[in-house]
Amino acid sequence: MLAAVLLFAVPATADIYMYIDSQGVMHFTNTPTSTQYRVYIKEKPKRSIGRLEDMDRYDDILAEAERRHGVDAPLIKAMVRAESAFDPRAVSHKGALGLMQIMPKNLKRLQVSDPYDPWDNIMGGTRYLKQMLARFKGQLPLALAAYNAGPSAVEHYRGIPPYNETQNYVRKVMRYYAGFKNEKRWLASK
């Protein structure tokens, strides 16, 4: 009996179903009561973002990236959180790949052979961030904006470009960075 229940158990979703009756009236529900209903809006599955085990999974790689490239590990972690929510298989709508969302055209230049390999991706992304930090003389908000929108956009606007995505990205990374830095201090004091 239990096996039958588990076999036919369906996870709860917020799909919306619709059918049009013989009078042309549209009926909507999230719990269809007949086979006349068809899926009208399909709920997208929610990714598990920000779970503690995901957020700490790459700390050893982040620490190594800090040692190799001189970029603060909590900053890299903040970028990974903002870029991919710690999903190594992430692909953006623009085609950016992996944890640090590296564009395919930049893979070879950043020495990334497998963008879905966490080590490879974090090292390549950190390498690029270090270049942006050098280009913008250590001005972190500008380096982050360049990472997101490209360095020519930052130079063109002589600051963070007036793109909502980029402005939100810089704010988000800075907020995550502050949190991860505080976490690092807390861990060090234990």
Side-chain angles (χ1 to χ4, degrees):
M1 178 75 169
L2 178 61
V5 169
L6 291 175
L7 182 63
F8 294 106
V10 178
T13 64
D15 296 342
I16 304 296
Y17 298 84
M18 187 228 8
Y19 92 91
I20 302 173
D21 67 19
S22 59
Q23 271 83 42
V25 176
M26 298 169 94
H27 299 267
F28 296 91
T29 184
N30 64 338
T31 54
T33 55
S34 79
T35 58
Q36 293 177 307
Y37 282 95
R38 299 287 179 242
V39 174
Y40 182 71
I41 299 174
K42 183 91 175 140
E43 178 186 45
K44 290 183 180 179
K46 293 182 180 159
R47 291 175 31 195
S48 57
I49 296 174
R51 295 181 311 175
L52 288 176
E53 62 269 19
D54 290 340
M55 291 182 13
D56 297 334
R57 176 184 301 165
Y58 305 109
D59 283 357
D60 290 343
I61 299 172
L62 298 170
E64 181 61 24
E66 178 178 40
R67 281 190 292 278
R68 286 177 179 234
H69 301 290
V71 176
D72 199 17
L75 173 59
I76 305 165
K77 188 173 188 173
M79 291 180 65
V80 170
R81 171 71 172 95
E83 290 285 354
S84 65
F86 302 98
D87 178 1
R89 308 290 305 166
V91 178
S92 78
H93 65 279
K94 292 181 181 177
L97 307 169
L99 289 167
M100 294 193 75
Q101 293 290 276
I102 300 171
M103 292 301 288
K105 68 181 180 181
N106 295 326
L107 294 173
K108 186 175 182 180
R109 183 170 55 86
L110 296 174
Q111 303 167 21
V112 176
S113 58
D114 181 358
Y116 300 113
D117 176 70
W119 170 271
D120 222 4
N121 192 284
I122 289 171
M123 291 302 159
T126 304
R127 198 173 283 115
Y128 185 62
L129 176 60
K130 182 178 181 177
Q131 292 169 6
M132 295 304 98
L133 285 165
R135 187 168 180 165
F136 294 99
K137 299 176 180 23
Q139 296 179 67
L140 182 55
L142 296 182
L144 293 172
Y147 191 97
N148 180 265
S152 59
V154 173
E155 291 165 347
H156 173 77
Y157 288 104
R158 296 185 181 138
I160 298 172
Y163 312 146
N164 285 336
E165 177 188 328
T166 301
Q167 292 174 354
N168 290 335
Y169 174 78
V170 171
R171 279 192 293 272
K172 188 186 301 185
V173 172
M174 294 300 288
R175 186 176 67 244
Y176 292 152
Y177 181 35
F180 289 138
K181 275 176 67 168
N182 287 335
E183 175 186 293
K184 186 177 178 181
R185 284 189 198 114
W186 179 79
L187 290 173
S189 68
K190 281 182 104 176

